Amino acid sequence: MQRAPARPGDPIAAIETPALVLDLDAFERNLDALAREAARRALRLRPHAKSHKTPAIAHAQIARGAVGVCCQKVDEAAAFVEAGIGDVLVTNEVVAPSKLARLASLAREARIGVLVDDVRAIPELSRAATRAGVTIDAYVEVDV
């Protein structure tokens, strides 16, 4: 098993890269500020996890009121669902039958959504969900 590249309090020179390094106070202030602003505007916040790709950060966002997270790929969605994130939106279109089947299996454990930008993708998405006995939210992407 690989050792952690760093521990809280390690000097920067001792950190093995790549490693996510946070100023925890600034991080928490930013999370709180975003949550307050979303609440003030009565918005349902769903941060995109493509920058952090870290379930612990997603959990911190959800603890402050986010409804879930967005990610780019089915593999990323699987990692978040396996880490206990209960609502994941895949923001890229998914058309490969094997990936649709995997998405449908994830929908047994969490609420799953996916973007659709072509009506021809709907029947296969529906078949995958039906075969798995689940519902997958489909969001129509409109390029204006």
Side-chain angles (χ1 to χ4, degrees):
M1 180 168 191
Q2 187 177 15
R3 75 171 195 82
R7 291 186 176 73
D10 281 354
I12 289 177
I15 298 172
E16 294 183 20
T17 59
L20 176 63
V21 178
L22 293 175
D23 176 327
L24 193 54
D25 293 331
F27 170 71
E28 290 180 348
R29 276 193 309 274
N30 288 339
L31 287 178
D32 292 340
L34 183 58
R36 276 192 310 274
E37 187 63 17
R40 184 182 78 75
R41 295 175 182 249
L43 298 174
R44 294 181 59 210
L45 179 62
R46 181 186 298 278
H48 207 300
K50 69 181 171 185
S51 60
H52 61 72
K53 296 186 181 191
T54 306
I57 292 175
H59 281 292
Q61 292 169 318
I62 291 167
R64 286 167 171 84
V67 298
V69 297
C70 296
C71 62
Q72 288 291 101
K73 301 175 5 179
V74 175
D75 286 347
E76 292 170 356
F80 283 105
V81 170
E82 289 167 13
I85 302 300
D87 193 325
V88 179
L89 172 62
V90 178
T91 57
N92 268 347
E93 295 73 22
V94 179
V95 295
S98 63
K99 291 184 180 188
L100 289 170
R102 186 161 187 214
L103 203 61
S105 71
L106 293 173
R108 292 185 180 117
E109 301 174 47
R111 181 177 183 171
I112 299 294
V114 64
L115 294 186
V116 178
D117 69 351
D118 188 321
V119 70
R120 294 172 292 182
I122 298 292
E124 192 61 36
L125 176 63
S126 178
R127 280 190 287 279
T130 300
R131 280 192 296 269
V134 299
T135 299
I136 298 173
D137 297 332
Y139 296 84
V140 177
E141 185 173 5
V142 178
D143 183 5
V144 295

